[in-house]
Amino acid sequence: MAQSEQVEQLHQICQDCTSKPVTELITNPGWGTINFEAARPKLELAFQLFNDLLQLPVEILPDNVITNIISSAEPLSRYINDIKGFTLQGDVEENRDDIVDNLNNQIDAFYTEAQHWIPYLAYQQGDVQRRLDELSGAVDESDKILTNAKKEAETKKSEIDNVVTAAKEASASVGVAHFSSDFMAEAEKLEKSAESWLLVTGGFTLVTLIVAYVFLHMDEPSGLYSVIYHSTTKLIILGTLIAATVWCGKIYRALRHQVTTNKHRANAIRTFQAFSKAASDDAARDAVLMETTKAIFGLSPSGYLDQETAGSEQTRIIELLGRTSKPHLSGTGE
């Protein structure tokens, strides 16, 4: 076991050598461009050893070991003091280089004597075991954190999936409501136009009847030429009025057809969301989508037009949707 005097002597050397940080030791504003930067790596190594010896229980070392450490540390302390007392006198660069060379060599000697005892002293102090325990505890804590993170990630993923699903449903509902309102707005607009054309048709019908009544009760002219002339005029007037009445009636029927069609489309879109939510799987939803598409884009007879095509004759868009939906409905993707 080392003597207390030896321990105090070693501690004093270590404290004296580390009284100034390495950066302040190797540079000085009064030196100008001259510095001891070349000695920085070895000085940092020496300072690490000095700090370890100050903290570790060097008193448990044998006398001869601590004596050798002190013997290598004393010259090193002198070279460090030479740097502290360095002045710009004589051949400055040569003096600086000599101090650096001597300092580096002495640090190597000091490192050789002290470094292989540091792990032993650290273990005796309990730092190694404590650090191993801390490391083991950190690993366990990391495992717990990782496990909790995985659980939380799975929970968050489930929540995100629910949010995405809700967002899709909300988006679909908004889209359904939007397009349904578009069709209804168009139907209301066309219905107002149809009412106007119904009034016009009624007006032309009334005028035609009045003119026909007047022509019926007019005095017949005498003479073949006068009869032909007046009859032709009457026929042209009545024919024009009848044609205008029929034309206005056709416009009214066409508008009523559009009103009925747009209301039918709006109702189809409104019911689509309910049927889609009730569907049990994607295949059923695809079937609902196809039928809704047929209801919207298919040609549905309204009864207002002559020779209307049946609803079984689908439009081009229904055929395209049918072909693109087959892989998904089959579930094979082929």
Side-chain angles (χ1 to χ4, degrees):
M1 299 290 288
Q3 301 296 321
S4 59
E5 294 80 3
Q6 293 175 308
V7 174
E8 291 178 2
Q9 184 181 1
L10 178 60
H11 283 173
Q12 188 62 47
I13 294 173
C14 294
Q15 291 172 358
D16 291 341
C17 291
T18 57
S19 60
K20 293 182 67 175
V22 174
T23 301
E24 295 181 9
L25 185 63
I26 62 178
T27 58
N28 190 319
W31 296 342
T33 59
I34 301 298
N35 58 62
F36 290 85
E37 192 66 35
R40 178 188 287 273
K42 292 292 182 70
L43 277 172
E44 290 178 347
L45 177 62
F47 272 50
Q48 181 61 49
L49 289 174
F50 286 139
N51 290 324
D52 289 340
L53 293 173
L54 284 171
Q55 297 175 8
L56 296 174
V58 294
E59 62 274 5
I60 65 174
L61 294 175
D63 288 344
N64 62 325
V65 171
I66 197 168
T67 298
N68 293 335
I69 294 175
I70 292 172
S71 298
S72 62
E74 285 179 336
L76 178 56
S77 176
R78 290 196 294 270
Y79 292 130
I80 292 176
N81 288 330
D82 288 342
I83 295 177
K84 293 178 180 179
F86 182 77
T87 58
L88 302 178
Q89 295 179 357
D91 192 340
V92 177
E93 293 186 357
E94 183 178 355
N95 293 338
R96 186 271 313 276
D97 293 340
D98 288 342
I99 294 175
V100 170
D101 291 339
N102 293 330
L103 180 69
N104 287 337
N105 292 333
Q106 193 57 44
I107 290 175
D108 289 339
F110 174 64
Y111 180 79
T112 301
E113 291 294 336
Q115 60 87 20
H116 56 278
W117 291 102
I118 299 299
Y120 168 74
L121 295 174
Y123 183 79
Q124 291 298 321
Q125 190 182 39
D127 286 353
V128 173
Q129 188 60 42
R130 177 175 56 81
R131 290 175 183 175
L132 288 175
D133 294 339
E134 290 177 355
L135 181 61
S136 178
V139 171
D140 294 339
E141 185 66 22
S142 299
D143 290 339
K144 292 180 181 179
I145 293 174
L146 181 60
T147 301
N148 293 334
K150 288 181 178 179
K151 293 180 179 179
E152 186 174 358
E154 292 175 356
T155 302
K156 294 296 182 183
K157 181 180 180 300
S158 177
E159 293 177 357
I160 292 173
D161 291 341
N162 293 334
V163 170
V164 170
T165 301
K168 288 181 178 179
E169 293 178 354
S171 176
S173 299
V174 172
V176 167
H178 174 73
F179 291 113
S180 176
S181 62
D182 286 344
F183 282 124
M184 288 301 297
E186 185 67 16
E188 292 175 358
K189 179 180 177 181
L190 293 172
E191 190 168 16
K192 291 179 180 179
S193 297
E195 291 175 355
S196 299
W197 280 103
L198 179 61
L199 293 176
V200 173
T201 302
F204 271 110
T205 302
L206 180 60
V207 171
T208 302
L209 293 174
I210 293 173
V211 171
Y213 179 81
V214 172
F215 285 167
L216 182 63
H217 292 83
M218 288 179 64
D219 295 333
E220 294 293 335
S222 60
L224 180 60
Y225 176 78
S226 296
V227 171
I228 294 174
Y229 174 77
H230 287 90
S231 297
T232 303
T233 303
K234 291 177 181 179
L235 288 175
I236 291 173
I237 295 173
L238 285 175
T240 302
L241 290 173
I242 292 172
T245 302
V246 172
W247 182 72
C248 292
K250 287 183 176 181
I251 293 178
Y252 167 73
R253 292 174 65 188
L255 290 173
R256 291 301 305 176
H257 171 76
Q258 292 295 324
V259 170
T260 303
T261 301
N262 280 288
K263 286 184 176 181
H264 174 69
R265 290 172 177 172
N267 291 330
I269 293 176
R270 286 174 178 173
T271 56
F272 166 72
Q273 189 70 9
F275 283 111
S276 178
K277 289 181 179 179
S280 58
D281 52 23
D282 292 336
R285 291 189 183 92
D286 289 338
V288 171
L289 176 60
M290 286 296 299
E291 293 302 321
T292 306
T293 305
K294 292 178 183 179
I296 295 172
F297 297 101
L299 301 178
S300 302
S302 64
Y304 285 99
L305 301 181
D306 297 332
Q307 298 179 349
E308 291 181 312
T309 56
S312 59
E313 297 183 9
Q314 302 174 6
T315 61
R316 180 64 178 166
I317 189 171
I318 299 175
E319 296 175 1
L320 292 174
L321 285 173
R323 287 201 295 270
T324 56
S325 299
K326 285 180 181 178
H328 180 66
L329 290 173
S330 63
T332 61
E334 299 178 355

